[in-house]
Amino acid sequence: MNNAIRHTWVVSVGMFLALFVALSLTQVVFTDSLNSDPRNSRQLIADAGAPRGPITVDGTVIAESVPSDATQYDYQRVYQDPELYSHITGYFSVVTPGPNQSGIEYALNDYLSGHSDAQFFDRITALFTGDTLMGAQVELTLDPELQRLAYDLIPENERGTIILTDLRTGEVKVMMSRPSYDTNELAVHSGSQFQENLERLEEVEGLHLNYNVATNNPIFPGSVFKLITGLAMLNSGDYELDTELENPSELELPLTESTLPNFADGGCAARPEAELNWIFAQSCNTPFAAAAMDLGEEAVLEAAEAYGWNEALRIPIYVQPSRFPEVADDAELARAAIGQGSVTATPLQMNMVASAIGNGGTLMQPQMVDTIRGSDLQILNNPEPQVLNDVMDRSTADEFTEMMVTTVEEGTGWRADSSRFQVAAKTGTAQRGAGDDMVNSWITGFAPADDPQYAVTVVYEGIDMSRGNELTGSQMLTMLEAVIEE
Amino acid sequence: MATQAEAHSRPRRNIELVLLLLALTIGIGAQVLVGLTLEDTIDERYYFEGGAQAALALAFHVVLRIRAEYADPFILPIVVTLNGLGIAMIHRLDFTTRYEGVADRQLMWTGLSMAAAMLLLVLLRDHRKLRQLTYLSLAASVVLLFLPIVPGIGQDIQGAQVWISIGGMSFQPGELAKITLAIFFAGFLANNRDLILLAGKKIGPMTFPRLQDLGPLFLAWLIAMGVLIVQNDLGNALMFFGLFVAVIYVATSRISWIVIGGVFVAVGALLAYQFVWHARNRFDIWLNAFDQQMYDQDLGSHQLVQGLFGLAHGGLTGTGLGSGSPQIVALANSDMIIVAFGEELGFIGLSGMLVLYLILFSRYMRAGLGTRDHFGKLLAVGLAVVLVLQVFVVVGGITRVIPMSGLVSPFLAAGGSALLANWLIVAVVLLISHAARRPIVVGPMLNTTGAGASGTEDPLRGRDTGEQKPVDDGTQQFPAASSSERDGGEQQ
């Protein structure tokens, strides 16, 4: 009987050995394939709770991962001054999970999470030492003081964007859009809390959570588009600054019943015929529409694409293409020539126009990243200023500068006139379609005109026309006087 | 074993006390560790719960000192360790949103179960009394097993109808049937062993029993199949059947019974696969766990696959208590608690726990080896096999060694009925081991060398011996002579 008991014991131990073998297969041998199975949410949780590198501006942290013990996620993403930077950083949520697509969190996810090619050896090291893999630190080109100034300038209940770039290098110093929001509310670990906050924020009028307004919201540009039509005109060689042009108060559009008017309250009505410089400064519509129809679609399209229209960019935030689509007929081309019809522009695209002109015709690639450093502070990426396109030659740029200075000194851009330096600018007021009293109010330009350094673009979307004119011009001036030293 | 010749007759309760303190340190320490990791304040709740566990364990120890001082010294510390770890993990899972207050309930059930086990130790005193309950146990088993399908008190949870609900309290009577069936099998075979052994046909090298002697085996098979079909409870069916085959093998020492048992299992499995959807489903899941369709379907492989992910996530060393995500797996604190341990303690930690189980069932079998009466041997082995099969079915199911079926890991998983049953088994086995290791008092008036020296078989040497002397360590007094008289009266 005891022998039988011993046999039973041996069989039992054999069964346990089978368990040990199976356990070691599951827990040691096949862990890689099990861990990488797409149905394994643990990897997602591990990734979502992993420490991400910080995002900094001028050395100050605006986004960082702090250890969190309250939930299954190891780290909590925390945003400083979130209202100032929500459109820049976007948010990183463990719920969705991952960064939303609007900002740096998404655009540089590989670096921030430590999974970029440059961090390959960090990953290997972390694998062997068992240390937590730390993401790279991203230093942005933004200027925190100017960013705050821009935030304070844009009124609470308006949809406004202010961009300021160094036109010599393409570095973005300010990129502020309101309404803004607290990104921390969407970085919460609780799914129900996230959902609740998301629904509340989605109700906010004019707030876009999923894209950066300055780079991803193409709207009607209005008269600032004359910088493009104007380039087509100057390039053709048929137009000089002092070329006298007809300036009728209305232009009949071919094959239609409708007409294209000059603005009634502008100074355009004063002169039925005027030189290009004056027409530009007063932003008269009819001469530009007529010129566009003379030059044809190709010429205008070419000018637009030279500035970057119809092309996406990564700075590294995604920049949606501003559109200059094929036009059906001359009537549509005429409307497009003054920034209406089917033409759209993002605030950044328009800022690139002013930058190109200010930089003597050379358009620098806009750039938001100053340096990317590994967790050991070693520089992983340090973007150099890069020429995006040679838009025009220097003489054409100089002609534009002269017209834009005239615009500020004698024309529609008078609110941006500075006592300290010459400002070059172009205003625009775009109608938003039938039945909408509100307009898109634009100004874009640069200063100082004799030694251009910074380009500024101020846009208000869907604003009362006179309020828009007041805000854009004066705010451009405020920004320029703040950035350009005495 | 030779060195034990002297040691076996020592009570060894002091060793048990030292190990018990170690066990309490592990169990309570794990719970405090969970609290620290999850940033809970270590307040009087922890003191109370730790204190309660310590008090219960020490009380049990004292009861053993008084009632069964020669009982195996390793069983109680191991069980206290496992029970403590279980409470710690359940406590850890209470921090997740899925579970709440389960640890308190588990602690309450632990107290209740240990109290019941102590009571059993005190009242029963000698396991051989259970032999008188052989047929009563069979009746009780049938009642317990089929109670859950009585309309009104039965409950269907997770597709298995194994629960009864009385006055808001849920209970799995089948858990207690493990004990009553083990008693019946042990009693029945101890009584009919000779008959089964002697009568039989020899075919080739094997002797097959007569058809009428197959009756009880067939009955056991019927019960197992009934449990399987009526209650959809694969795990228990497998366990009951394995229990009977093991006990009958030990009783007869004949391979033929294993063969017959194997045939019955095969037929049962085949029938179950053919006619019980639940069984076929489990089998399909086992084979095609990672199939997307299988993963997505209702009652599919989702739980199994997520469990494997959990184990893999733990890896060799585990995430540490409180740092994993064990709550992702359904039933993480009961059926799948092994996964939670695998994830947070890793392969090393979980292997350690399996080794504890291995030592535990070895001690159970050791008690069976040592005891002198056949009933005790069969009962100890039966209860050991119950433990082995529970662990094998649970861990094997989780690791895809066998199809998964719902059993809970002894002492670890949340659930009062299983806890109670397993603690009662501990009490019974401790009594058997006490009987096994207690020195045999051989009075000078007895003939210790002749053929009439029955009842003096040395449990360690497996043969009659006249050299056995009463061991007097100077301080300990042996149990009263009356018990030794009973020993002598037992038929071997």
Side-chain angles (χ1 to χ4, degrees), chain A residues 55 57 62 82 84-91 102-107 140 142 147 172 174-177 180-181 183 212 214 317 368:
Chain A
I55 303 174
V57 289
I62 59 169
L84 262 60
Y85 300 106
S86 61
H87 291 283
I88 305 295
T89 57
Y91 60 87
S102 71
I104 292 289
E105 291 275 28
Y106 178 80
L140 300 180
L142 296 178
Q147 181 81 1
V172 178
V174 172
M175 187 180 274
M176 183 68 230
S177 293
S180 185
Y181 65 105
T183 28
N212 183 337
I317 289 179
M368 302 185 72

PDB file of all heavy atoms in Angstrom, chain A residues 55 57 62 82 84-91 102-107 140 142 147 172 174-177 180-181 183 212 214 317 368:
ATOM      1  N   ILE A  55       8.679  68.795 -22.136  1.00  0.00           N
ATOM      2  CA  ILE A  55       8.692  69.820 -23.183  1.00  0.00           C
ATOM      3  C   ILE A  55       8.994  71.137 -22.470  1.00  0.00           C
ATOM      4  O   ILE A  55       8.365  71.450 -21.457  1.00  0.00           O
ATOM      5  CB  ILE A  55       7.350  69.896 -23.919  1.00  0.00           C
ATOM      6  CG1 ILE A  55       6.996  68.520 -24.512  1.00  0.00           C
ATOM      7  CG2 ILE A  55       7.377  70.964 -25.005  1.00  0.00           C
ATOM      8  CD1 ILE A  55       5.614  68.471 -25.144  1.00  0.00           C
ATOM      9  N   VAL A  57      10.144  75.465 -22.678  1.00  0.00           N
ATOM     10  CA  VAL A  57      10.344  76.699 -23.443  1.00  0.00           C
ATOM     11  C   VAL A  57      11.303  77.564 -22.645  1.00  0.00           C
ATOM     12  O   VAL A  57      11.082  77.808 -21.462  1.00  0.00           O
ATOM     13  CB  VAL A  57       9.033  77.470 -23.696  1.00  0.00           C
ATOM     14  CG1 VAL A  57       8.171  76.743 -24.701  1.00  0.00           C
ATOM     15  CG2 VAL A  57       8.265  77.698 -22.417  1.00  0.00           C
ATOM     16  N   ILE A  62       7.046  73.005 -19.581  1.00  0.00           N
ATOM     17  CA  ILE A  62       5.612  73.223 -19.769  1.00  0.00           C
ATOM     18  C   ILE A  62       4.850  71.903 -19.814  1.00  0.00           C
ATOM     19  O   ILE A  62       3.639  71.883 -19.693  1.00  0.00           O
ATOM     20  CB  ILE A  62       5.321  74.058 -21.038  1.00  0.00           C
ATOM     21  CG1 ILE A  62       5.876  73.368 -22.290  1.00  0.00           C
ATOM     22  CG2 ILE A  62       5.853  75.467 -20.885  1.00  0.00           C
ATOM     23  CD1 ILE A  62       5.391  74.015 -23.570  1.00  0.00           C
ATOM     24  N   PRO A  82      -1.053  75.623 -18.944  1.00  0.00           N
ATOM     25  CA  PRO A  82      -1.657  74.896 -20.063  1.00  0.00           C
ATOM     26  C   PRO A  82      -2.434  75.801 -21.017  1.00  0.00           C
ATOM     27  O   PRO A  82      -2.452  75.561 -22.215  1.00  0.00           O
ATOM     28  CB  PRO A  82      -2.597  73.891 -19.371  1.00  0.00           C
ATOM     29  CG  PRO A  82      -2.870  74.479 -18.034  1.00  0.00           C
ATOM     30  CD  PRO A  82      -1.622  75.184 -17.643  1.00  0.00           C
ATOM     31  N   LEU A  84      -1.663  78.628 -22.043  1.00  0.00           N
ATOM     32  CA  LEU A  84      -0.748  79.286 -22.973  1.00  0.00           C
ATOM     33  C   LEU A  84      -0.268  78.330 -24.061  1.00  0.00           C
ATOM     34  O   LEU A  84       0.050  78.747 -25.175  1.00  0.00           O
ATOM     35  CB  LEU A  84       0.485  79.818 -22.210  1.00  0.00           C
ATOM     36  CG  LEU A  84       0.490  81.289 -21.812  1.00  0.00           C
ATOM     37  CD1 LEU A  84      -0.682  81.589 -20.923  1.00  0.00           C
ATOM     38  CD2 LEU A  84       1.791  81.633 -21.108  1.00  0.00           C
ATOM     39  N   TYR A  85      -0.191  77.050 -23.702  1.00  0.00           N
ATOM     40  CA  TYR A  85       0.496  76.123 -24.608  1.00  0.00           C
ATOM     41  C   TYR A  85      -0.368  74.967 -25.090  1.00  0.00           C
ATOM     42  O   TYR A  85       0.142  74.059 -25.737  1.00  0.00           O
ATOM     43  CB  TYR A  85       1.748  75.572 -23.915  1.00  0.00           C
ATOM     44  CG  TYR A  85       2.725  76.657 -23.529  1.00  0.00           C
ATOM     45  CD1 TYR A  85       2.878  77.042 -22.205  1.00  0.00           C
ATOM     46  CD2 TYR A  85       3.479  77.300 -24.504  1.00  0.00           C
ATOM     47  CE1 TYR A  85       3.758  78.045 -21.854  1.00  0.00           C
ATOM     48  CE2 TYR A  85       4.369  78.308 -24.158  1.00  0.00           C
ATOM     49  CZ  TYR A  85       4.508  78.678 -22.841  1.00  0.00           C
ATOM     50  OH  TYR A  85       5.384  79.679 -22.509  1.00  0.00           O
ATOM     51  N   SER A  86      -1.656  74.994 -24.790  1.00  0.00           N
ATOM     52  CA  SER A  86      -2.492  73.840 -25.118  1.00  0.00           C
ATOM     53  C   SER A  86      -2.413  73.495 -26.609  1.00  0.00           C
ATOM     54  O   SER A  86      -2.336  72.328 -26.975  1.00  0.00           O
ATOM     55  CB  SER A  86      -3.945  74.110 -24.718  1.00  0.00           C
ATOM     56  OG  SER A  86      -4.448  75.217 -25.423  1.00  0.00           O
ATOM     57  N   HIS A  87      -2.402  74.521 -27.465  1.00  0.00           N
ATOM     58  CA  HIS A  87      -2.370  74.246 -28.907  1.00  0.00           C
ATOM     59  C   HIS A  87      -0.984  73.801 -29.371  1.00  0.00           C
ATOM     60  O   HIS A  87      -0.836  73.180 -30.408  1.00  0.00           O
ATOM     61  CB  HIS A  87      -2.792  75.482 -29.698  1.00  0.00           C
ATOM     62  CG  HIS A  87      -4.242  75.808 -29.520  1.00  0.00           C
ATOM     63  ND1 HIS A  87      -5.238  75.121 -30.155  1.00  0.00           N
ATOM     64  CD2 HIS A  87      -4.853  76.734 -28.748  1.00  0.00           C
ATOM     65  CE1 HIS A  87      -6.409  75.613 -29.799  1.00  0.00           C
ATOM     66  NE2 HIS A  87      -6.209  76.593 -28.941  1.00  0.00           N
ATOM     67  N   ILE A  88       0.011  74.154 -28.586  1.00  0.00           N
ATOM     68  CA  ILE A  88       1.384  73.774 -28.946  1.00  0.00           C
ATOM     69  C   ILE A  88       1.655  72.325 -28.560  1.00  0.00           C
ATOM     70  O   ILE A  88       2.147  71.537 -29.367  1.00  0.00           O
ATOM     71  CB  ILE A  88       2.404  74.678 -28.216  1.00  0.00           C
ATOM     72  CG1 ILE A  88       2.119  76.148 -28.489  1.00  0.00           C
ATOM     73  CG2 ILE A  88       3.823  74.296 -28.602  1.00  0.00           C
ATOM     74  CD1 ILE A  88       2.296  76.565 -29.913  1.00  0.00           C
ATOM     75  N   THR A  89       1.342  72.009 -27.301  1.00  0.00           N
ATOM     76  CA  THR A  89       1.693  70.676 -26.818  1.00  0.00           C
ATOM     77  C   THR A  89       0.661  69.633 -27.245  1.00  0.00           C
ATOM     78  O   THR A  89       1.008  68.499 -27.537  1.00  0.00           O
ATOM     79  CB  THR A  89       1.768  70.666 -25.279  1.00  0.00           C
ATOM     80  OG1 THR A  89       0.526  71.105 -24.748  1.00  0.00           O
ATOM     81  CG2 THR A  89       2.877  71.573 -24.789  1.00  0.00           C
ATOM     82  N   GLY A  90      -0.612  70.012 -27.304  1.00  0.00           N
ATOM     83  CA  GLY A  90      -1.653  69.006 -27.360  1.00  0.00           C
ATOM     84  C   GLY A  90      -1.657  68.330 -26.010  1.00  0.00           C
ATOM     85  O   GLY A  90      -1.033  68.804 -25.063  1.00  0.00           O
ATOM     86  N   TYR A  91      -2.344  67.198 -25.887  1.00  0.00           N
ATOM     87  CA  TYR A  91      -2.346  66.525 -24.595  1.00  0.00           C
ATOM     88  C   TYR A  91      -2.070  65.046 -24.799  1.00  0.00           C
ATOM     89  O   TYR A  91      -2.295  64.492 -25.869  1.00  0.00           O
ATOM     90  CB  TYR A  91      -3.692  66.712 -23.877  1.00  0.00           C
ATOM     91  CG  TYR A  91      -4.883  66.171 -24.621  1.00  0.00           C
ATOM     92  CD1 TYR A  91      -5.267  64.844 -24.477  1.00  0.00           C
ATOM     93  CD2 TYR A  91      -5.627  66.969 -25.477  1.00  0.00           C
ATOM     94  CE1 TYR A  91      -6.354  64.336 -25.170  1.00  0.00           C
ATOM     95  CE2 TYR A  91      -6.702  66.470 -26.174  1.00  0.00           C
ATOM     96  CZ  TYR A  91      -7.069  65.153 -26.007  1.00  0.00           C
ATOM     97  OH  TYR A  91      -8.136  64.650 -26.698  1.00  0.00           O
ATOM     98  N   SER A 102      -2.882  67.000 -32.096  1.00  0.00           N
ATOM     99  CA  SER A 102      -2.790  68.428 -32.382  1.00  0.00           C
ATOM    100  C   SER A 102      -1.388  68.993 -32.209  1.00  0.00           C
ATOM    101  O   SER A 102      -1.043  69.960 -32.870  1.00  0.00           O
ATOM    102  CB  SER A 102      -3.760  69.202 -31.489  1.00  0.00           C
ATOM    103  OG  SER A 102      -3.308  69.198 -30.159  1.00  0.00           O
ATOM    104  N   GLY A 103      -0.574  68.457 -31.343  1.00  0.00           N
ATOM    105  CA  GLY A 103       0.634  69.207 -31.006  1.00  0.00           C
ATOM    106  C   GLY A 103       1.921  68.419 -31.002  1.00  0.00           C
ATOM    107  O   GLY A 103       2.054  67.377 -31.631  1.00  0.00           O
ATOM    108  N   ILE A 104       2.880  68.978 -30.270  1.00  0.00           N
ATOM    109  CA  ILE A 104       4.219  68.395 -30.169  1.00  0.00           C
ATOM    110  C   ILE A 104       4.166  66.988 -29.571  1.00  0.00           C
ATOM    111  O   ILE A 104       4.935  66.110 -29.957  1.00  0.00           O
ATOM    112  CB  ILE A 104       5.108  69.318 -29.300  1.00  0.00           C
ATOM    113  CG1 ILE A 104       5.375  70.641 -30.035  1.00  0.00           C
ATOM    114  CG2 ILE A 104       6.419  68.645 -28.939  1.00  0.00           C
ATOM    115  CD1 ILE A 104       6.302  70.528 -31.211  1.00  0.00           C
ATOM    116  N   GLU A 105       3.274  66.776 -28.613  1.00  0.00           N
ATOM    117  CA  GLU A 105       3.168  65.456 -27.990  1.00  0.00           C
ATOM    118  C   GLU A 105       3.016  64.365 -29.053  1.00  0.00           C
ATOM    119  O   GLU A 105       3.571  63.285 -28.926  1.00  0.00           O
ATOM    120  CB  GLU A 105       1.956  65.398 -27.036  1.00  0.00           C
ATOM    121  CG  GLU A 105       2.098  66.240 -25.790  1.00  0.00           C
ATOM    122  CD  GLU A 105       2.834  65.530 -24.660  1.00  0.00           C
ATOM    123  OE1 GLU A 105       3.672  64.664 -24.958  1.00  0.00           O
ATOM    124  OE2 GLU A 105       2.565  65.857 -23.496  1.00  0.00           O
ATOM    125  N   TYR A 106       2.251  64.685 -30.068  1.00  0.00           N
ATOM    126  CA  TYR A 106       2.036  63.713 -31.142  1.00  0.00           C
ATOM    127  C   TYR A 106       3.177  63.766 -32.154  1.00  0.00           C
ATOM    128  O   TYR A 106       3.712  62.736 -32.561  1.00  0.00           O
ATOM    129  CB  TYR A 106       0.700  64.004 -31.826  1.00  0.00           C
ATOM    130  CG  TYR A 106       0.392  63.087 -32.977  1.00  0.00           C
ATOM    131  CD1 TYR A 106      -0.114  61.822 -32.752  1.00  0.00           C
ATOM    132  CD2 TYR A 106       0.626  63.485 -34.291  1.00  0.00           C
ATOM    133  CE1 TYR A 106      -0.393  60.957 -33.798  1.00  0.00           C
ATOM    134  CE2 TYR A 106       0.349  62.640 -35.348  1.00  0.00           C
ATOM    135  CZ  TYR A 106      -0.163  61.380 -35.092  1.00  0.00           C
ATOM    136  OH  TYR A 106      -0.431  60.530 -36.135  1.00  0.00           O
ATOM    137  N   ALA A 107       3.533  65.001 -32.540  1.00  0.00           N
ATOM    138  CA  ALA A 107       4.511  65.166 -33.618  1.00  0.00           C
ATOM    139  C   ALA A 107       5.869  64.578 -33.226  1.00  0.00           C
ATOM    140  O   ALA A 107       6.575  64.030 -34.068  1.00  0.00           O
ATOM    141  CB  ALA A 107       4.653  66.647 -33.953  1.00  0.00           C
ATOM    142  N   LEU A 140      11.506  74.026 -27.071  1.00  0.00           N
ATOM    143  CA  LEU A 140      10.848  74.708 -28.180  1.00  0.00           C
ATOM    144  C   LEU A 140      11.469  76.090 -28.409  1.00  0.00           C
ATOM    145  O   LEU A 140      12.163  76.629 -27.543  1.00  0.00           O
ATOM    146  CB  LEU A 140       9.352  74.859 -27.884  1.00  0.00           C
ATOM    147  CG  LEU A 140       8.590  73.548 -27.671  1.00  0.00           C
ATOM    148  CD1 LEU A 140       7.130  73.843 -27.386  1.00  0.00           C
ATOM    149  CD2 LEU A 140       8.711  72.661 -28.893  1.00  0.00           C
ATOM    150  N   LEU A 142       9.759  78.734 -28.740  1.00  0.00           N
ATOM    151  CA  LEU A 142       8.836  79.765 -28.271  1.00  0.00           C
ATOM    152  C   LEU A 142       9.470  80.641 -27.201  1.00  0.00           C
ATOM    153  O   LEU A 142      10.332  80.207 -26.442  1.00  0.00           O
ATOM    154  CB  LEU A 142       7.578  79.114 -27.688  1.00  0.00           C
ATOM    155  CG  LEU A 142       6.713  78.326 -28.656  1.00  0.00           C
ATOM    156  CD1 LEU A 142       5.554  77.707 -27.902  1.00  0.00           C
ATOM    157  CD2 LEU A 142       6.197  79.222 -29.773  1.00  0.00           C
ATOM    158  N   GLN A 147       4.696  84.797 -25.587  1.00  0.00           N
ATOM    159  CA  GLN A 147       3.537  83.921 -25.683  1.00  0.00           C
ATOM    160  C   GLN A 147       2.458  84.381 -24.698  1.00  0.00           C
ATOM    161  O   GLN A 147       1.286  84.449 -25.026  1.00  0.00           O
ATOM    162  CB  GLN A 147       3.975  82.476 -25.379  1.00  0.00           C
ATOM    163  CG  GLN A 147       2.872  81.430 -25.474  1.00  0.00           C
ATOM    164  CD  GLN A 147       2.591  80.974 -26.906  1.00  0.00           C
ATOM    165  OE1 GLN A 147       3.234  81.421 -27.854  1.00  0.00           O
ATOM    166  NE2 GLN A 147       1.600  80.115 -27.063  1.00  0.00           N
ATOM    167  N   VAL A 172       9.705  79.845 -34.704  1.00  0.00           N
ATOM    168  CA  VAL A 172       8.424  80.354 -34.212  1.00  0.00           C
ATOM    169  C   VAL A 172       8.619  80.840 -32.777  1.00  0.00           C
ATOM    170  O   VAL A 172       9.010  80.075 -31.901  1.00  0.00           O
ATOM    171  CB  VAL A 172       7.348  79.257 -34.263  1.00  0.00           C
ATOM    172  CG1 VAL A 172       6.026  79.782 -33.699  1.00  0.00           C
ATOM    173  CG2 VAL A 172       7.170  78.762 -35.690  1.00  0.00           C
ATOM    174  N   VAL A 174       6.131  82.981 -31.194  1.00  0.00           N
ATOM    175  CA  VAL A 174       4.795  83.016 -30.589  1.00  0.00           C
ATOM    176  C   VAL A 174       3.850  82.270 -31.505  1.00  0.00           C
ATOM    177  O   VAL A 174       3.880  82.446 -32.726  1.00  0.00           O
ATOM    178  CB  VAL A 174       4.285  84.470 -30.412  1.00  0.00           C
ATOM    179  CG1 VAL A 174       2.829  84.478 -29.957  1.00  0.00           C
ATOM    180  CG2 VAL A 174       5.156  85.231 -29.427  1.00  0.00           C
ATOM    181  N   MET A 175       3.039  81.417 -30.919  1.00  0.00           N
ATOM    182  CA  MET A 175       1.949  80.808 -31.669  1.00  0.00           C
ATOM    183  C   MET A 175       0.814  80.605 -30.678  1.00  0.00           C
ATOM    184  O   MET A 175       0.800  79.651 -29.920  1.00  0.00           O
ATOM    185  CB  MET A 175       2.373  79.477 -32.295  1.00  0.00           C
ATOM    186  CG  MET A 175       1.327  78.901 -33.222  1.00  0.00           C
ATOM    187  SD  MET A 175       1.864  77.346 -33.937  1.00  0.00           S
ATOM    188  CE  MET A 175       2.786  77.926 -35.348  1.00  0.00           C
ATOM    189  N   MET A 176      -0.051  81.581 -30.644  1.00  0.00           N
ATOM    190  CA  MET A 176      -1.086  81.582 -29.613  1.00  0.00           C
ATOM    191  C   MET A 176      -2.464  81.646 -30.257  1.00  0.00           C
ATOM    192  O   MET A 176      -2.714  82.502 -31.098  1.00  0.00           O
ATOM    193  CB  MET A 176      -0.884  82.818 -28.712  1.00  0.00           C
ATOM    194  CG  MET A 176      -1.848  82.896 -27.544  1.00  0.00           C
ATOM    195  SD  MET A 176      -1.541  81.579 -26.331  1.00  0.00           S
ATOM    196  CE  MET A 176      -3.199  80.930 -26.131  1.00  0.00           C
ATOM    197  N   SER A 177      -3.318  80.742 -29.879  1.00  0.00           N
ATOM    198  CA  SER A 177      -4.699  80.776 -30.351  1.00  0.00           C
ATOM    199  C   SER A 177      -5.637  80.697 -29.164  1.00  0.00           C
ATOM    200  O   SER A 177      -5.379  79.977 -28.203  1.00  0.00           O
ATOM    201  CB  SER A 177      -4.994  79.590 -31.281  1.00  0.00           C
ATOM    202  OG  SER A 177      -4.255  79.707 -32.466  1.00  0.00           O
ATOM    203  N   SER A 180      -8.494  78.820 -25.598  1.00  0.00           N
ATOM    204  CA  SER A 180      -7.555  77.775 -25.231  1.00  0.00           C
ATOM    205  C   SER A 180      -8.198  76.931 -24.123  1.00  0.00           C
ATOM    206  O   SER A 180      -9.349  77.159 -23.754  1.00  0.00           O
ATOM    207  CB  SER A 180      -6.252  78.404 -24.758  1.00  0.00           C
ATOM    208  OG  SER A 180      -5.291  77.406 -24.516  1.00  0.00           O
ATOM    209  N   TYR A 181      -7.469  75.951 -23.624  1.00  0.00           N
ATOM    210  CA  TYR A 181      -8.046  75.100 -22.574  1.00  0.00           C
ATOM    211  C   TYR A 181      -6.943  74.528 -21.707  1.00  0.00           C
ATOM    212  O   TYR A 181      -5.761  74.658 -22.017  1.00  0.00           O
ATOM    213  CB  TYR A 181      -8.882  73.982 -23.191  1.00  0.00           C
ATOM    214  CG  TYR A 181      -8.090  72.992 -24.021  1.00  0.00           C
ATOM    215  CD1 TYR A 181      -7.795  71.722 -23.530  1.00  0.00           C
ATOM    216  CD2 TYR A 181      -7.619  73.326 -25.286  1.00  0.00           C
ATOM    217  CE1 TYR A 181      -7.070  70.808 -24.283  1.00  0.00           C
ATOM    218  CE2 TYR A 181      -6.891  72.418 -26.043  1.00  0.00           C
ATOM    219  CZ  TYR A 181      -6.624  71.169 -25.539  1.00  0.00           C
ATOM    220  OH  TYR A 181      -5.897  70.282 -26.291  1.00  0.00           O
ATOM    221  N   THR A 183      -5.007  71.622 -20.686  1.00  0.00           N
ATOM    222  CA  THR A 183      -4.699  70.273 -21.175  1.00  0.00           C
ATOM    223  C   THR A 183      -4.687  69.237 -20.055  1.00  0.00           C
ATOM    224  O   THR A 183      -4.887  68.055 -20.304  1.00  0.00           O
ATOM    225  CB  THR A 183      -3.325  70.271 -21.871  1.00  0.00           C
ATOM    226  OG1 THR A 183      -2.518  71.285 -21.296  1.00  0.00           O
ATOM    227  CG2 THR A 183      -3.472  70.542 -23.341  1.00  0.00           C
ATOM    228  N   ASN A 212      -4.259  72.200 -34.088  1.00  0.00           N
ATOM    229  CA  ASN A 212      -3.728  73.504 -33.766  1.00  0.00           C
ATOM    230  C   ASN A 212      -4.295  74.505 -34.775  1.00  0.00           C
ATOM    231  O   ASN A 212      -4.070  74.392 -35.976  1.00  0.00           O
ATOM    232  CB  ASN A 212      -2.203  73.435 -33.868  1.00  0.00           C
ATOM    233  CG  ASN A 212      -1.549  74.741 -33.487  1.00  0.00           C
ATOM    234  OD1 ASN A 212      -2.173  75.797 -33.556  1.00  0.00           O
ATOM    235  ND2 ASN A 212      -0.303  74.658 -33.087  1.00  0.00           N
ATOM    236  N   ALA A 214      -3.608  77.551 -35.508  1.00  0.00           N
ATOM    237  CA  ALA A 214      -2.651  78.377 -36.264  1.00  0.00           C
ATOM    238  C   ALA A 214      -2.101  77.642 -37.476  1.00  0.00           C
ATOM    239  O   ALA A 214      -1.678  78.261 -38.448  1.00  0.00           O
ATOM    240  CB  ALA A 214      -1.508  78.808 -35.352  1.00  0.00           C
ATOM    241  N   ILE A 317       4.967  70.149 -35.879  1.00  0.00           N
ATOM    242  CA  ILE A 317       3.512  70.037 -35.861  1.00  0.00           C
ATOM    243  C   ILE A 317       3.021  70.037 -37.309  1.00  0.00           C
ATOM    244  O   ILE A 317       3.582  70.742 -38.156  1.00  0.00           O
ATOM    245  CB  ILE A 317       2.885  71.230 -35.090  1.00  0.00           C
ATOM    246  CG1 ILE A 317       3.179  71.096 -33.599  1.00  0.00           C
ATOM    247  CG2 ILE A 317       1.395  71.328 -35.329  1.00  0.00           C
ATOM    248  CD1 ILE A 317       2.613  72.225 -32.777  1.00  0.00           C
ATOM    249  N   MET A 368       9.603  74.890 -34.893  1.00  0.00           N
ATOM    250  CA  MET A 368       9.199  75.118 -33.501  1.00  0.00           C
ATOM    251  C   MET A 368      10.173  74.503 -32.507  1.00  0.00           C
ATOM    252  O   MET A 368      10.086  74.765 -31.316  1.00  0.00           O
ATOM    253  CB  MET A 368       7.824  74.515 -33.260  1.00  0.00           C
ATOM    254  CG  MET A 368       6.756  75.077 -34.178  1.00  0.00           C
ATOM    255  SD  MET A 368       5.155  74.437 -33.752  1.00  0.00           S
ATOM    256  CE  MET A 368       4.874  75.323 -32.246  1.00  0.00           C
TER     257      MET A 368
END
